[in-house]
Amino acid sequence: MMSMCQMVEEELKKALIKTRLIENWENCGWNRSGRTDKGVSAFKQIASLIVRSTGGHENALCATDGSGDITAAEKQELPYIKMLNGTLPKSIRVLAWAPVPEDFSARHQCTQRTYTYLFPKGNFDIQACDLLVGEHDFRNFCRIDMNKERVEMSYVRTINYARISAISDDISSPYDFFELTIKAKGFLWHQIRCIMALLCEIGCQNEQPQVI
């Protein structure tokens, strides 16, 4: 099991350098579709970067003919998954890779991100999720970044999906766990934490749903 001080991105960095798939971290064009705070898990994270290739193509990107079929260049490509998983801790796995255009960004071209927040049922019932769906100004549901380059940013975000559901069929015990699932193209800093805190207050009847 990884210690709390180990970060997935740091382990990937070490594995990429050890396998010589990149020369250095600064020039590999690393981008990831999301980030998490220390101690928070991220599943099926997507990253884009420039790596060593046998294809001989500019910027070491493997070519594809766009048909969905595996090209000759891809058949001869380095075994990236085997190379990285043989170096990474067992708690971190690379699941798949695909060639992408040179200007592809896993961060900026991500079309949807999903957050799942687990919490014990307690003695309350939450029914305010539907009010989150749609385009809203979420400036009161996040931590404001006082960096002068970001303080004037837009706080409008569109929530495509928000639902709370029981993890198990038996929800008779207050110790049973529920999960909040929220989907959107992007989120603000600490937005999910703030939303969860308010939903809990509504569930405990300390606030009215209209406060959303």
Side-chain angles (χ1 to χ4, degrees):
M1 183 175 180
M2 291 177 61
S3 67
M4 291 296 289
C5 63
Q6 288 178 297
M7 306 295 285
V8 172
E9 188 168 302
E10 184 63 27
E11 293 297 327
L12 282 169
K13 172 183 176 180
K14 291 191 291 187
L16 286 162
I17 293 175
K18 185 175 181 179
T19 55
R20 299 185 183 277
L21 289 177
I22 62 173
E23 291 185 1
N24 57 69
W25 190 248
E26 291 72 25
N27 298 322
C28 72
W30 173 266
N31 246 307
R32 66 273 199 279
S33 58
R35 63 172 299 278
T36 65
D37 295 324
K38 185 181 294 186
V40 179
S41 298
F43 292 98
K44 298 181 181 178
Q45 186 75 273
I46 297 174
S48 57
L49 70 159
I50 299 170
V51 296
R52 178 163 57 93
S53 169
T54 61
H57 301 282
E58 185 178 0
N59 290 331
L61 288 174
C62 182
T64 180
D65 61 5
S67 65
D69 297 328
I70 298 176
T71 65
E74 289 176 289
K75 289 179 181 178
Q76 299 170 7
E77 195 48 86
L78 294 171
Y80 296 123
I81 297 175
K82 183 177 181 180
M83 292 171 69
L84 290 170
N85 286 343
T87 305
L88 288 165
K90 291 184 178 180
S91 56
I92 303 174
R93 298 288 89 179
V94 174
L95 302 179
W97 73 274
V100 294
E102 183 178 349
D103 60 352
F104 177 81
S105 169
R107 176 187 176 189
H108 296 294
Q109 291 175 260
C110 178
T111 58
Q112 182 166 273
R113 295 171 170 88
T114 301
Y115 269 88
T116 300
Y117 201 109
L118 302 180
F119 62 97
K121 176 189 175 185
N123 294 318
F124 53 83
D125 183 24
I126 300 174
Q127 299 179 339
C129 274
D130 289 344
L131 298 175
L132 294 168
V133 177
E135 183 179 271
H136 306 286
D137 188 325
F138 285 97
R139 71 180 65 237
N140 294 325
F141 290 80
C142 69
R143 180 176 176 180
I144 303 296
D145 188 344
M146 297 309 295
N147 186 312
K148 64 179 181 180
E149 296 180 357
R150 297 177 61 88
V151 72
E152 299 298 329
M153 65 178 283
S154 172
Y155 293 93
V156 175
R157 295 292 186 274
T158 300
I159 301 295
N160 301 320
Y161 176 93
R163 184 69 55 84
I164 289 177
S165 57
I167 294 179
S168 62
D169 294 332
D170 181 11
I171 56 173
S172 58
S173 170
Y175 299 102
D176 290 321
F177 271 78
F178 279 54
E179 63 180 10
L180 165 67
T181 301
I182 295 185
K183 299 180 180 182
K185 183 177 181 180
F187 296 94
L188 298 166
W189 191 13
H190 288 183
Q191 181 180 351
I192 302 301
R193 294 185 186 188
C194 294
I195 286 175
M196 189 62 210
L198 182 57
L199 288 176
C200 286
E201 288 298 304
I202 293 172
C204 292
Q205 300 182 350
N206 294 327
E207 294 284 358
Q208 296 298 314
Q210 290 75 16
V211 74
I212 293 179

